[in-house]
Amino acid sequence: MYAFYINILSILTVVLIFFNAHAQDIKEVQKKVNDFLSQNNFNAAIQFMNNMIVKFPNNDTLITMQGLIYLDNQFNDKAQELFEKSLQTNSNNMTAKFSLAETYTIQRNFLKAKKLFGELLNEFSNKSIILNYLAQIAIAENDYPSVKKYFTQLLEIDSTNIDALNSLGVLALMNGELDESEILLNKSILYSKNNINAYYNLGVLYLFKEEYKKAEINL
């Protein structure tokens, strides 16, 4: 399963660039928060954010930043509350919407997650990551037609995506489409030489094809 949240130190920059009305103030907040987090001082970071939100009430950027801190430390319910509050303040805050969709996914609230990710497909610049999330949710729900749909769309954007090549290769194998599966899995290995899943599934495929030497090599 795909990793369902991003490290706070990397995503705060995204929040800063796209969603703030007080750029210089927010930049200073970001620096201070990152200092606390680099020292593993979660409580100090949260207290500092509380003080900043008092200073700048109803600032959706700050609320989102605080939600990201909670999410990164796996306080998912609190993160959800803050992302929802941020979107109530500014429904166009894409970072809050994306992070809320991530949070719903972690909580296995797939219905709400799919709704938000579906909206983000039309709004978010990085469509590959959205399609990957939707495909991983489909895997968790055993919804194989949707797995195929999303990973096929993902390959149209990124023909070297390992997750998509592996998953479509396995689906083809499950459906008895051995030649198609072989092509996809070999492509996956071409782009990632240490791709254990692809080697294993190719080994199984060659057993079905009774090509035992190739099966032995891959397994």
Side-chain angles (χ1 to χ4, degrees):
M1 186 65 65
Y2 192 71
F4 279 138
Y5 59 92
I6 300 172
N7 186 282
I8 185 71
L9 297 176
S10 62
I11 203 167
L12 285 183
T13 302
V14 178
V15 181
L16 172 66
I17 292 172
F18 290 104
F19 307 108
N20 83 80
H22 309 280
Q24 190 57 42
D25 292 314
I26 299 296
K27 187 174 181 179
E28 292 302 317
V29 171
Q30 178 196 25
K31 182 178 183 301
K32 190 69 174 178
V33 167
N34 283 345
D35 286 343
F36 285 130
L37 293 175
S38 66
Q39 299 165 17
N40 296 316
N41 197 337
F42 168 79
N43 291 330
I46 289 298
Q47 184 57 55
F48 177 72
M49 288 302 304
N50 286 336
N51 294 339
M52 290 299 99
I53 289 173
V54 170
K55 183 178 180 180
F56 301 103
N58 298 319
N59 185 296
D60 60 292
T61 302
L62 292 175
I63 297 168
T64 301
M65 289 171 67
Q66 189 169 34
L68 288 166
I69 298 170
Y70 278 109
L71 181 62
D72 195 60
N73 286 272
Q74 301 182 44
F75 293 97
N76 301 324
D77 291 343
K78 183 63 176 178
Q80 175 192 330
E81 174 190 329
L82 289 163
F83 296 140
E84 289 174 346
K85 181 179 179 181
S86 178
L87 286 172
Q88 289 168 3
T89 304
N90 176 11
S91 61
N92 295 318
N93 188 324
M94 292 300 101
T95 299
K97 182 180 284 191
F98 178 84
S99 300
L100 181 57
E102 283 188 304
T103 306
Y104 285 147
T105 305
I106 295 167
Q107 296 168 323
R108 301 187 69 82
N109 190 340
F110 295 140
L111 186 63
K112 288 186 176 180
K114 287 189 291 186
K115 180 179 183 297
L116 288 180
F117 280 130
E119 293 173 5
L120 285 164
L121 267 180
N122 300 318
E123 301 167 347
F124 208 67
S125 59
N126 189 344
K127 295 188 185 302
S128 293
I129 193 170
I130 303 300
L131 289 168
N132 209 331
Y133 270 103
L134 286 168
Q136 297 297 341
I137 290 172
I139 290 172
E141 294 184 317
N142 297 317
D143 179 2
Y144 297 116
S146 293
V147 173
K148 184 173 183 178
K149 179 181 75 172
Y150 292 129
F151 275 136
T152 299
Q153 292 177 5
L154 179 52
L155 279 185
E156 291 172 359
I157 298 172
D158 177 11
S159 62
T160 67
N161 188 280
I162 303 303
D163 284 340
L165 289 166
N166 278 343
S167 298
L168 290 174
V170 170
L171 284 178
L173 179 60
M174 291 169 58
N175 291 325
E177 301 166 355
L178 301 186
D179 291 341
E180 177 68 12
S181 177
E182 184 178 6
I183 290 169
L184 289 164
L185 293 171
N186 274 313
K187 279 186 179 179
S188 178
I189 290 172
L190 178 65
Y191 299 128
S192 177
K193 299 298 183 184
N194 296 319
N195 193 334
I196 294 173
N197 288 333
Y199 286 120
Y200 172 79
N201 288 304
L202 271 173
V204 173
L205 181 150
Y206 287 127
L207 287 175
F208 283 134
K209 296 181 75 170
E210 299 183 355
E211 297 182 23
Y212 299 119
K213 186 61 178 180
K214 289 183 179 179
E216 179 182 4
I217 290 170
N218 281 279
L219 291 172

